[in-house]
Every structure is written in C-alpha cells, then in structure tokens.
C-alpha cells in the first residue's frame, strides 16, 4: 500500500521500490476516481501519467541520474498552459481550447521529472473566493462537502486535501492560493511578485498575479519553489536576482530569533471570528516563550485594502480579457449576426459568466475618461501608500502574522447572493498582492465547528527564506505538541 508522507520520504522509498512511481500514480488515480463527487478535476491525464511513471521507474532501474522532482505527482490549475492539453480558465469562452506551448513553470517541472496528473477546477478566470463561478460547477470541501473549498484555486486545494496528488499549483491574485489552503487545512504559498514566471499563466490582473503552491508540508512547497522559481526571459517582471534553488535545504531557523508584528486593526476587526483571533494570539504567545519578540503595530489603512484591490484588478482584468473575442479562438456564437461588432458581443455574452462580466464592466467603468481619476488614479495612489506602509512595517519587524480568512469555510451558496460580502472576505489576503510581498497560509488549528484553519505569515519582498523558516517552526511545534 502506498503511503505518502513528504517528497523526501517518497524519494527514499523509490530507491527501494522498483515500481514506485507507477504505484504512486495508481494510488492517486484511484483516489481521484473515488472522490469524483468533489469535482476537483477538469481533466485527468490517466494514461499519460501511468506511462510517464513507468518510464521513470525504468530510468531508475537503468541507474540513470534522476531529476529533483523525480516521480512527484502534481496537479495544476486550469489557468496554466500545458502544451497539447486543454486550458480553459473554467470558462465557456475557452472550452475545448488546447494550449499551444508550456508555461515556463510547467517546463521546469517536466525538466525535473515531475508527473502532471491532471488539471483542476477553479473559479472562472480565477475570479472568486468560493469556487462557485466555474463552468464545470462547484468544487466541494473534502472536510465537509456542504462547505466551499475556497477559491479561486479550490480544485487545486481539494486535490491535495483529498490525497489526489502530492502537491499542486494554483494562482494567487488576491488570495486564491492562501484562502483555499486555509479552508482545506493545507500549506499555501504565494511567493513575492516576480519570483515565478507568469509566462503561460492566463492573466487575470497582471500586476498582482503570481503562481502559488499547495502542499501538505513546508518541505514539499519549498522544493517545488526551488524548481519553478528559475528565471525566465519570457517574463520581464521577474526579479532575476532571486536564487531559491536551495531553499528546501534552508528551512531551519536554528537559533535565529525574530521580531514578529501583530497588526492591531487586523486582530480587532469585527469580521474576525473570535476563535481564530484567540488561536493566533496563543500561537504568538508560544513564539514569545520560545524567545521571539512579538510587537503590536498600527495598520489604519486596513479598510482601503479591498476597495483598492477590486478597482485595480477589475481595471487590469477588463483589459486582459478584451482579447477573448471568439475570432481567432474561443467560443463562437451560432446566432445570426449583423456585423463584426455584433459578433464580438454575442461571443462574449455567451462565453463569459456573470462574475467575469461584472468585473469587465467595473473595470471599464473605472478606466473610463470621466471616472479614471476618481477611481483608477486614486486606487493607484492608495496602492503606493500601502507599499510605503509595508516598507515602514518591515523596518521594525522581520515578519507579520495575520489571519488568512476572517472565518472558516462557509456554506455553499451562503455568500453568492451578496458579492460585497464575498469580496470583503478577501480583506486579509489582498495586502500581499497589492504590495508584492510573499505570504503563506500555515494550517495549524481545528475550529470547534470541526473545520481546519490556520494563520498567515508575511515577510519583506523576496524574503521567502524567513517566511518558510517561521512557517516550518510553527508547524513542527504543532507536530511535537
Ligand atoms: N477572491 C479574489 C478575487 O476574486 C482573489 C482571486 C485570486 O486570487 N485569483 O479577485
């Protein structure tokens, strides 16, 4: 019986087990089959994954040198291009579209001999917090199927949560990796802006988007990061000075003592569940007992986060999504049309879902000549204030601890009727994207309602090392407690 602990243990096991990759892939394919009701996958690459596993098993048998991710079974979100496989952003407008090339991160995974097992359901064009905006239907939370798994990368989260793969990739524009990780009891990393190439990632809001990683533990997430953070000439927004190639070997804080900030306005926010609040405070007390310094800092800009985020991302989305006109590819209307304008309108009316249309309209509104200064320029100015505030905060601390989400996973349908309520639930995740800093959801607690939750760590831009070390410290304490 295949039993997964982490990638390191798996690769040790492969040294003793001739058909190890194949057994692993079969184990995950079985779990995918028996968890079909969760609706986590859009497509499963059954035959391809088995063939790849067999080839890798043979390679080891031949004594050939093996890749860093040899046999690691990965699922990807349906917004990342994998050559010759469908990529649809869970949208009717792209249904049946096949990727013409590999996203850079996919190429890096394949170069290191990972096995991609399938592509995962998500909110349409990564817009949502509950995975209720997909053309393929809702994804269910494996901890309690009446609850949402979070979004927009809900399928990628549930794929790891329900043992359908070892690790998975999502994308995080405003929390879409961290919030579902929180709702499903997983580690979810959004690296700094510019750490992972966005080449081959379907764009939502380009100055916010980052590919992120789901895993069961910090080591797995760090190992994937070490592979996919390689620089790439196809993405000019990458920070070429980063070098995370050994980050999975640097997870020990050793005796380093950190200065960690709690943000007053965040911890006292009325939307924050009391149990989540006290669990985080207790965790910080524990860190204090272990010699770290905990300070309290002000964050009076809190109420500006969500409005700023939604103005700017809608603006960028409306521009990014203008390319889907149904002419070169994508959904084409069968209705009788009068002219080319009418054809565009029909294709887009039929192809996009409600949430996406809402954002396109909002984006066009805030970019329109009459309102540009009142909304778009204003929001850019607030973004700069937030960046200044972030720089100021990190002058007096090494890391910030905040909740990931104000509540645990909510009921399916609960927030669907009230978009504002849904947007406000992103209050604690969007800061990292607005400022480009790294953030990680760390699964530490179980609520009295039985659902998992954790906390979120933020560090300075490009300080993924401190981020992962602190996360690893807390998780290992949890396991020894
Ligand atoms: N919930 C946020 C939104 O709908 C975040 C989405 C994301 O990170 N892709 O915009």
């Amino acid at each position: 019986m295949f039993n997964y602990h982490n990638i390191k243990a798996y690769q040790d096991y492969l040294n003793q087990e001739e058909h190890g990759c194949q057994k692993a892939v079969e184990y995950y394919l079985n779990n995918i089959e028996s968890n079909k009701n969760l609706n986590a996958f859009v497509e499963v690459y059954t035959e391809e994954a088995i063939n790849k596993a067999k080839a890798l098993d043979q390679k080891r048998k031949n004594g050939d040198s093996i890749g860093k991710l040899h046999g690691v079974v990965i699922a990807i979100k349906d917004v990342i291009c994998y050559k010759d496989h469908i990529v649809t952003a869970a949208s009717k407008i792209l249904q049946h579209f096949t990727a013409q090339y590999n996203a850079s991160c996919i190429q890096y995974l394949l170069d290191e001999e990972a096995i991609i097992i399938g592509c995962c359901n998500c909110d349409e064009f990564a817009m949502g917090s509950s995975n209720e905006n997909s053309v393929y239907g809702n994804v269910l939370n494996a901890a309690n199927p009446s609850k949402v798994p979070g979004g927009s990368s809900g399928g990628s989260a549930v794929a790891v949560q329900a043992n359908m793969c070892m690790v998975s990739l999502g994308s995080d524009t405003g929390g879409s990796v961290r919030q579902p990780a929180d709702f499903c009891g997983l580690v979810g990393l959004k690296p700094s802006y510019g750490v992972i190439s966005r080449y081959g990632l379907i764009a939502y809001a380009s100055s916010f988007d980052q590919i992120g990683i789901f895993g069961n533990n910090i080591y797995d997430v760090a190992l994937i990061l070490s592979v996919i953070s390689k620089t790439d000439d196809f993405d000019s927004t990458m920070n070429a000075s980063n070098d995370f190639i050994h980050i999975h070997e640097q997870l020990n804080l050793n005796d380093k003592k950190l200065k960690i900030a709690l943000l007053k306005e965040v911890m006292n926010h009325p939307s924050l569940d009391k149990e989540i609040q006290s669990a985080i405070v207790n965790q910080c007390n524990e860190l204090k007992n272990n010699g770290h310094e905990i300070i309290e800092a002000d964050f009076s800009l809190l109420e500006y986060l969500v409005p700023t985020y939604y103005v700017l991302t809608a603006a960028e989305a409306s521009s990014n999504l203008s390319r889907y006109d149904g002419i070169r590819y994508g959904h084409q209307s069968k209705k009788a049309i009068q002219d080319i304008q009418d054809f565009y309108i029909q294709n887009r009316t039929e192809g996009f879902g409600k949430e996406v249309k809402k954002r396109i309209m909002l984006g066009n509104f805030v970019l329109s000549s009459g309102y540009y200064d009142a909304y778009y320029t204003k929001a850019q100015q607030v973004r700069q204030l937030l960046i200044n505030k972030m720089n100021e905060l990190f002058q007096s601390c090494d890391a910030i601890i905040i909740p990931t989400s104000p509540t645990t996973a909510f009921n399916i349908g609960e927030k669907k009727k009230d978009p504002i309520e849904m947007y406000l639930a992103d209050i604690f995740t969007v800061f990292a994207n607005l400022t480009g800093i790294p953030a990680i959801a760390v699964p530490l607690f179980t609520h009295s309602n039985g659902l998992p939750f954790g906390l979120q760590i933020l560090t300075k831009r490009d300080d993924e090392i401190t981020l992962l070390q602190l996360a690893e410290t807390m998780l290992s304490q949890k396991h020894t407690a």
Side-chain angles (χ1 to χ4, degrees):
M1 172 69 186
F2 178 75
N3 192 352
Y4 183 72
H5 177 54
N6 64 23
I7 296 175
K8 204 188 239 162
Y10 169 61
Q11 291 184 331
D12 288 344
Y13 149 91
L14 288 179
N15 287 330
Q16 303 141 27
E17 175 59 65
E18 201 172 295
H19 302 292
C21 292
Q22 191 183 339
K23 281 194 182 147
V25 166
E26 284 167 356
Y27 166 80
Y28 290 113
L29 288 172
N30 271 333
N31 286 350
I32 291 174
E33 191 53 39
S34 55
N35 285 297
K36 260 195 163 145
N37 63 314
L38 301 176
N39 200 22
F41 279 82
V42 170
E43 195 174 26
V44 184
Y45 315 137
T46 307
E47 226 170 282
E48 193 186 310
I50 291 180
N51 290 339
K52 175 86 185 264
K54 283 183 180 164
L56 292 176
D57 287 336
Q58 187 59 43
K59 193 171 181 199
R60 275 195 328 283
K61 210 170 149 194
N62 296 344
D64 296 345
S65 68
I66 63 166
K68 204 169 173 181
L69 298 180
H70 183 88
V72 173
V73 180
I74 301 190
I76 59 174
K77 182 176 179 179
D78 186 24
V79 289
I80 302 175
C81 294
Y82 180 16
K83 192 173 190 305
D84 299 330
H85 297 75
I86 60 153
V87 57
T88 72
S91 180
K92 183 172 173 186
I93 210 153
L94 278 176
Q95 238 174 351
H96 314 300
F97 178 73
T98 302
Q100 308 293 299
Y101 60 89
N102 279 331
S104 298
C105 65
I106 295 292
Q107 193 56 53
Y108 298 154
L109 291 176
L110 296 173
D111 291 346
E112 294 296 341
E113 302 180 347
I115 302 172
I116 302 177
I117 198 160
C119 103
C120 291
N121 202 347
C122 57
D123 281 305
E124 185 177 3
F125 284 99
M127 297 173 187
S129 310
S130 62
N131 226 297
E132 293 169 293
N133 302 329
S134 164
V135 74
Y136 307 109
N138 298 348
V139 177
L140 313 184
N141 191 321
N144 177 342
S146 67
K147 306 284 175 187
V148 302
S152 65
S153 316
S156 301
V158 172
V160 177
Q161 182 194 27
N163 279 318
M164 301 191 262
C165 59
M166 296 173 187
V167 278
S168 66
L169 297 187
S171 64
D172 190 313
T173 305
S176 279
V177 167
R178 289 160 286 151
Q179 184 251 22
D182 195 57
F183 282 8
C184 295
L186 303 169
V187 174
L189 170 70
K190 180 205 88 77
S192 307
Y193 188 76
V195 164
I196 299 175
S197 170
R198 288 180 295 111
Y199 181 69
L201 167 69
I202 292 182
Y204 161 12
S206 311
S207 76
F208 294 74
D209 297 340
Q210 260 302 281
I211 286 172
I213 309 163
F214 291 96
N216 287 300
N217 56 74
I218 304 294
Y219 177 83
D220 285 5
V221 167
L223 183 69
I224 301 298
L225 180 69
S226 78
V227 170
I228 65 176
S229 55
K230 211 162 108 182
T231 51
D232 179 18
D233 290 342
F234 291 129
D235 179 356
S236 61
T237 60
M238 279 195 86
N239 179 356
S241 62
N242 275 327
D243 178 5
F244 294 138
I245 198 155
H246 297 296
I247 196 161
H248 55 295
E249 294 159 359
Q250 301 169 307
L251 299 178
N252 200 332
L253 252 187
N254 294 318
D255 289 329
K256 224 183 336 173
K257 296 299 173 208
L258 300 177
K259 206 164 166 185
I260 300 163
L262 277 174
L263 305 179
K264 251 185 262 166
E265 286 79 357
V266 168
M267 295 309 291
N268 295 325
H269 198 266
S271 71
L272 181 60
D273 178 283
K274 289 283 169 275
E275 238 179 270
I276 299 184
Q277 181 200 46
S278 62
I280 294 178
V281 171
N282 291 343
Q283 182 67 41
C284 287
N285 286 336
E286 203 169 308
L287 288 167
K288 203 163 156 185
N289 293 340
N290 291 328
H292 300 284
E293 189 182 343
I294 306 290
I295 60 167
E296 262 206 344
D298 293 320
F299 192 60
S300 56
L301 294 168
L302 182 62
E303 299 302 333
Y304 296 97
L305 293 176
V306 171
T308 309
Y309 170 81
Y310 276 97
V311 168
L312 294 176
T313 54
E316 292 189 26
S318 68
S319 153
N320 274 325
L321 269 55
S322 64
R323 76 190 66 171
Y324 303 104
D325 55 18
I327 301 288
R328 280 151 298 218
Y329 56 85
H331 174 77
Q332 291 196 339
S333 175
K334 303 273 178 295
K335 279 203 184 136
I337 46 151
Q338 281 152 12
D339 53 25
I340 185 73
Q341 183 72 11
D342 194 30
F343 191 46
Y344 290 149
I345 292 173
Q346 281 308 329
N347 295 341
R348 288 167 66 85
T349 303
E350 291 172 19
F352 287 132
K354 207 167 151 202
E355 182 63 29
V356 173
K357 282 179 188 154
K358 208 185 303 168
R359 305 228 188 167
I360 293 174
M361 285 167 70
L362 180 63
N364 280 313
F365 174 76
V366 300
L367 290 173
S368 62
S369 58
Y371 294 96
Y372 187 89
D373 281 339
Y375 294 101
Y376 186 72
T377 307
K378 209 19 142 260
Q380 289 285 32
Q381 288 166 338
V382 179
R383 189 178 198 181
Q384 188 56 52
L385 284 181
L386 291 166
I387 293 170
N388 298 347
K389 179 67 194 174
M390 179 271 294
N391 286 329
E392 184 197 309
L393 282 168
F394 285 117
Q395 266 161 21
S396 56
C397 70
D398 304 300
I400 298 171
I401 290 183
I402 57 175
T404 305
S405 173
T407 62
T408 53
F410 45 87
N411 290 330
I412 292 173
E414 186 181 326
K415 292 194 202 287
K416 220 182 161 189
K417 275 176 231 93
D418 185 353
I420 302 291
E421 206 193 323
M422 187 81 95
Y423 297 167
L424 285 174
D426 295 337
I427 184 163
F428 304 132
T429 47
V430 297
F431 181 59
N433 308 75
L434 280 158
T435 57
I437 60 174
I440 190 165
V442 192
L444 291 168
F445 317 109
T446 305
H447 199 273
S448 58
N449 64 16
L451 292 169
F453 70 100
L455 52 73
Q456 188 183 185
I457 311 172
L458 316 174
T459 54
K460 282 202 274 296
R461 189 154 176 179
D462 300 321
D463 192 5
E464 268 73 355
I465 295 200
T466 306
L467 187 84
L468 293 175
Q469 286 176 340
L470 181 55
E472 174 67 10
T473 303
M474 288 194 249
L475 268 179
S476 52
Q477 269 166 11
K478 175 192 164 188
H479 290 131
T480 51

